[in-house]
Amino acid sequence: MTAALEAKHLTKSFGGVRAVDDVSFEVHPGEVVAVIGPNGAGKSTVFDCVAGRQRQDGGSVVLGGTVLKPGGTAQRARLGLERTFQRVEVFPSLTVHDHLLVALRATHPSPRLWRDLLRLSKQTPDERARIASTLAFCGLSELSGRQVGSLGLGLCRLVELARALVADPLVLLLDEASSGLDDDEVEMVVQRLRERAATAQTAIVVIEHDLAMVERVADRVLVMVSGSLVAEGSYAEVMATPVVQAAYLGSAP
């Protein structure tokens, strides 16, 4: 099966610090992959390089068979890459519904794009249907008309997830998707991600510190330590390796 996303020998340094050191992995359609590791392991920097927010120093990113130029997010969005962030990024004055409308229109740029984004001009039946189904999928239908600034952190996380899903991405990158969620919301996200991967064949990559969530959601787990990829496999396989136990427990048994 052709990979939806390939990272090949990625490297990234900041000054004299090698934040990402020759990291390679691939994610296939319908697969959920979790990236775990201690703070400072380089997980979010890998995401930044894959998503185009940082220009990698070496290596390449291939999305749906297209080799991407380093840096720049627009090409990636057009090819079907969506991302959420460790720190919630929303527009407080926009409603939940309008967040999804902006995201949907941003994936189909046109000469009218900025007018549409700023004025939120008349919606098409397809836009209304896709937004309604995505809000229902994420359990947000009753909050459609609420301004996002009035919502708590957990609900803002769900708005970010819905915003990322509304355009039917090929690849979805989620950075700390469980942060701020209660147990019921985490379980809902796990179920929705598994369902989305299975039904839409979306390739999903999750950076996550909640290992209980990782165990339930991931088909495969990548472990990073000090900028390097040190283990890969099922949750049980990677957690049984001495290098991972040392990273999380301080020493291997």
Side-chain angles (χ1 to χ4, degrees):
M1 183 184 297
T2 301
L5 173 67
E6 297 176 82
K8 299 181 178 181
H9 305 291
L10 290 181
T11 61
K12 179 66 180 178
S13 296
F14 298 98
V17 178
R18 183 66 67 92
V20 178
D21 189 4
D22 194 26
V23 170
S24 298
F25 63 91
E26 59 183 37
V27 188
H28 292 91
E31 185 179 30
V32 181
V33 173
V35 184
I36 67 172
N39 289 334
K43 305 181 297 295
S44 290
T45 304
V46 167
F47 263 30
D48 284 343
C49 292
V50 169
R53 287 173 63 90
Q54 295 278 356
R55 295 177 64 91
Q56 69 265 23
D57 299 325
S60 61
V61 178
V62 183
L63 179 62
T66 299
V67 180
L68 303 176
K69 297 179 181 179
T73 58
Q75 179 192 25
R76 288 159 169 78
R78 289 193 296 269
L79 291 172
L81 178 69
E82 292 289 342
R83 182 200 176 165
T84 67
F85 295 87
Q86 185 174 4
R87 182 176 179 177
V88 170
E89 295 194 3
V90 293
F91 302 100
S93 63
L94 288 185
T95 66
V96 173
H97 175 280
D98 288 346
H99 268 76
L100 272 63
L101 180 59
V102 168
L104 188 56
R105 290 180 173 175
T107 61
H108 302 287
S110 72
R112 297 175 54 194
L113 174 62
W114 288 109
R115 189 189 75 184
D116 286 344
L117 293 185
L118 295 173
R119 299 182 183 176
L120 301 177
S121 58
K122 186 176 179 179
Q123 299 166 54
T124 68
D126 179 65
E127 286 175 334
R128 285 194 295 270
R130 292 176 70 173
I131 291 170
S133 65
T134 305
L135 290 175
F137 183 78
C138 294
L140 295 170
S141 296
E142 294 183 359
L143 300 175
S144 177
R146 287 273 298 275
Q147 286 189 332
V148 172
S150 69
L151 305 179
L153 175 60
L155 289 174
C156 286
R157 287 281 180 200
L158 297 179
V159 172
E160 281 196 316
L161 176 61
R163 184 176 64 189
L165 289 173
V166 71
D168 293 328
L170 172 69
V171 176
L172 176 61
L173 308 179
L174 300 173
D175 197 343
E176 298 294 348
S178 73
S179 178
L181 303 184
D182 62 30
D183 290 344
D184 290 340
E185 290 168 337
V186 169
E187 186 57 34
M188 187 273 284
V189 170
V190 168
Q191 293 175 5
R192 294 300 183 266
L193 294 181
R194 295 299 317 171
E195 182 179 347
R196 187 72 178 209
T199 59
Q201 289 297 289
T202 306
I204 300 173
V205 190
V206 183
I207 290 176
E208 188 54 61
H209 280 99
D210 183 346
L211 295 183
M213 177 181 175
V214 170
E215 185 176 17
R216 298 198 303 278
V217 77
D219 298 304
R220 187 159 47 93
V221 179
L222 311 177
V223 186
M224 290 188 65
V225 176
S226 300
S228 297
L229 186 61
V230 299
E232 178 178 352
S234 69
Y235 179 83
E237 289 169 344
V238 300
M239 295 307 292
T241 61
V243 67
V244 175
Q245 293 181 359
Y248 278 94
L249 303 177
S251 61

